[in-house]
Amino acid sequence: MDKLVIRGGKPLHGTVRISGSKNAALPILLAAPLADGPLEYANVPRLRDIFTTLKLLNILGLSTTFEQDRVLVTPASVLNHEAPYDLVKTMRASVLCLGPLLARQGRARVALPGGCAIGARPVNLHLTALEKMGAVFDLEEGYIEGRCDRLKGAHIIFDFPTVGGTENLLMAACLAEGRTILENAAREPEISDLAEFLIAMGAKISGHGTSIITIDGVASLHGGRYAIMPDRIEAGTYMVAAAITDGDLILENCPLRELDAVVSKLREMGVGIEETPAGVRIRRSSELVNADVATLPYPGFPTDMQAQIMALMCLARGAGSIKETIFENRYMHVQELVRLGARITVSGQNAFVHGTDRLIGAPVMASDLRASASLVLAGLAARGTTAIQRVYHLDRGYESMEVKLAGVGADIVRARE
Ligand code: UD1
């Protein structure tokens, strides 16, 4: 297993190019079984979760090639309909093949994802909504077995604006008979990117990006080309990297509009963020001061940036708080940050952070994707050496992070544990 070894205290200077969005690429690739013709995707990040997704498409019978940032998918005349547990357990987003398989094949057998490090994360809202469209589900040997004739349009009101649930239903409804209306739908930019991809393939969708999405089913979707949006969470992470090291970074390909809540919180904390012809420039505009953050569905502050902003708060003046409202167990980075000298206490869904002047490097353990990013950020700012173990979590979602960071002056190397 690999670890990252960081000698902290070096301000980052230079330009970082933001990669394609993991969370947009996953559903957009998993929508491939819906199309009749070949698909060409651009701006696909080279990440472990993307390779897992391509493996799943191969298991379903589609052939794929991945060169640089381009993925080609060739459709299959007959699809398999099983997503095996070995794959689903490594990537929960595999459950997003349920909607496309039911819509295209009338049959799907997808391993039920278990709990994950950040919480229980059930898929009950996906299943209830698909049932409204005519699917029937059984749970057998740990697998969700779904069957249907052609899915029928339905009026679905989600109990909670679930991102994956909205994506699954959006894909399923494209080939359903009649109109589907999704209310209380998630509004994340990655959902709009999925909708734009489906529209480019011939789907009839309106209202994406709002909480009411209308889909008129069509008989088939064709192939085509599509470029994935840039990764707003990766961009937000590098914004914190510039601020926490007192550096000066330009982010190319940065989706600034989709980062509104993060940008306004960082500005409140004393971080300058401005658009320039070269890209988005990030540097401190004053002393860092603490803030209060609550994670919320988009357009609120993203839970996927909670761990990273906490690292910054550890080094900001005064006290701040975080309220995590999306996941029930997303504070596993706290004890690791405390090992570096951070002053944080957790009570239920709230974390209280008292800023300190310095962090001191230590060996720490990554527990999930964004927790790993927060430890890298803290390590970049800490005095001495921070060794982050279980870095495979980071490889799921950040393309060449240590290469990008070393390119702007960080002292960071990957080593064998
Ligand atoms: C997606 C993102 C993830 C992000 C999350 C919230 C991808 C691949 N992953 O995850 O990075 O952190 O959105 O922005 O895009 N829930 C239920 N029942 C359901 C579905 C969800 O109770 O059927 C609960 C979950 O347990 C969780 C909350 O709703 O507590 C949010 O889940 P959801 O919005 O569905 O997130 P994901 O699609 O899993």
Side-chain angles (χ1 to χ4, degrees):
M1 264 191 286
D2 290 353
K3 65 179 175 185
L4 286 179
V5 181
I6 303 173
R7 275 197 289 267
K10 307 226 169 4
L12 304 184
H13 287 273
T15 300
V16 175
R17 185 168 176 80
I18 301 305
S19 300
S21 160
K22 169 180 89 74
N23 283 357
L26 296 180
I28 292 175
L29 286 167
L30 286 170
L34 290 169
D36 283 342
L39 294 161
E40 184 179 341
Y41 300 91
N43 206 30
V44 182
R46 297 187 77 82
L47 300 170
R48 206 157 61 96
D49 275 8
I50 299 294
F51 288 104
T52 307
T53 301
L54 298 186
K55 205 158 143 195
L56 176 53
L57 289 178
N58 296 152
I59 289 172
L60 296 178
L62 296 96
S63 34
T64 58
T65 57
F66 192 2
E67 275 168 24
Q68 291 170 352
D69 70 335
R70 290 188 176 261
V71 171
L72 300 178
V73 181
T74 314
S77 46
V78 185
L79 288 170
N80 296 324
H81 62 272
E82 178 169 321
Y85 181 58
D86 277 353
L87 262 167
V88 177
K89 75 178 183 208
T90 62
M91 191 187 71
R92 296 179 40 84
S94 315
V95 80
L96 294 176
C97 68
L98 200 54
L101 287 178
L102 285 172
R104 195 71 204 277
Q105 300 268 101
R107 220 173 147 196
R109 188 168 190 270
V110 178
L112 184 66
C116 70
I118 62 175
R121 294 181 88 173
V123 291
N124 56 315
L125 302 175
H126 304 223
L127 302 185
T128 315
L130 287 165
E131 277 169 356
K132 276 199 125 182
M133 298 186 74
V136 178
F137 294 103
D138 287 309
L139 183 65
E140 275 174 25
E141 298 168 341
Y143 278 76
I144 304 163
E145 299 248 6
R147 282 176 185 276
C148 59
D149 298 325
R150 188 174 178 199
L151 290 169
K152 292 203 167 43
H155 189 164
I156 290 154
I157 304 176
F158 286 110
D159 290 350
F160 174 86
T162 155
V163 173
T166 304
E167 290 167 345
N168 238 335
L169 269 289
L170 189 56
M171 294 188 278
C174 284
L175 294 183
E177 186 186 331
R179 174 169 285 192
T180 300
I181 299 175
L182 304 178
E183 270 197 66
N184 200 22
R187 289 181 282 168
E188 268 66 5
E190 293 76 14
I191 289 169
S192 296
D193 210 33
L194 170 63
E196 292 298 337
F197 163 78
L198 293 166
I199 290 167
M201 303 309 129
K204 295 207 169 357
I205 301 170
S206 61
H208 45 292
T210 77
S211 57
I212 302 180
I213 306 178
T214 304
I215 306 113
D216 286 306
V218 294
S220 63
L221 296 183
H222 52 76
R225 292 182 178 176
Y226 194 77
I228 308 288
M229 67 176 283
D231 197 310
R232 66 191 165 105
I233 304 301
E234 188 197 20
T237 303
Y238 284 101
M239 287 181 176
V240 174
I244 206 167
T245 63
D246 201 5
D248 187 351
L249 288 182
I250 300 270
L251 304 185
E252 281 177 4
N253 203 28
C254 172
L256 196 57
R257 205 162 36 90
E258 287 77 11
L259 273 161
D260 266 357
V262 173
V263 166
S264 68
K265 198 48 76 178
L266 289 175
R267 284 190 175 138
E268 190 185 319
M269 291 182 72
V271 183
I273 299 168
E274 53 175 330
E275 277 190 276
T276 75
V280 175
R281 184 173 186 187
I282 326 290
R283 60 193 160 149
R284 286 189 196 170
S285 55
S286 60
E287 182 195 13
L288 289 177
V289 289
N290 246 316
D292 299 319
V293 177
T295 65
L296 287 168
Y298 191 83
F301 191 93
T303 173
D304 285 352
M305 276 298 298
Q306 180 256 105
Q308 299 91 313
I309 202 156
M310 183 186 278
L312 188 63
M313 290 168 69
C314 292
L315 288 163
R317 182 167 54 79
S321 68
I322 294 184
K323 183 172 186 176
E324 171 58 61
T325 75
I326 308 293
F327 292 110
E328 66 269 30
N329 186 24
R330 205 170 196 179
Y331 282 136
M332 279 160 309
H333 43 286
V334 167
Q335 286 316 312
E336 303 300 309
L337 290 171
V338 166
R339 285 178 52 73
L340 301 177
R343 292 159 63 205
I344 310 166
T345 51
V346 173
S347 170
Q349 59 178 180
N350 299 298
F352 302 96
V353 184
H354 289 267
T356 172
D357 288 346
R358 59 179 179 173
L359 298 175
I360 298 181
V364 288
M365 191 88 82
S367 53
D368 68 64
L369 171 56
R370 306 304 170 186
S372 324
S374 113
L375 297 175
V376 171
L377 293 167
L380 290 172
R383 289 189 190 174
T385 303
T386 299
I388 301 157
Q389 290 165 26
R390 299 201 181 159
V391 70
Y392 57 86
H393 290 293
L394 200 72
D395 296 334
R396 286 189 45 212
Y398 287 92
E399 190 173 48
S400 315
M401 193 178 199
E402 75 273 19
V403 178
K404 290 188 183 186
L405 286 171
V408 289
D411 184 342
I412 178 169
V413 288
R414 185 179 282 257
R416 287 253 150 214
E417 274 180 33

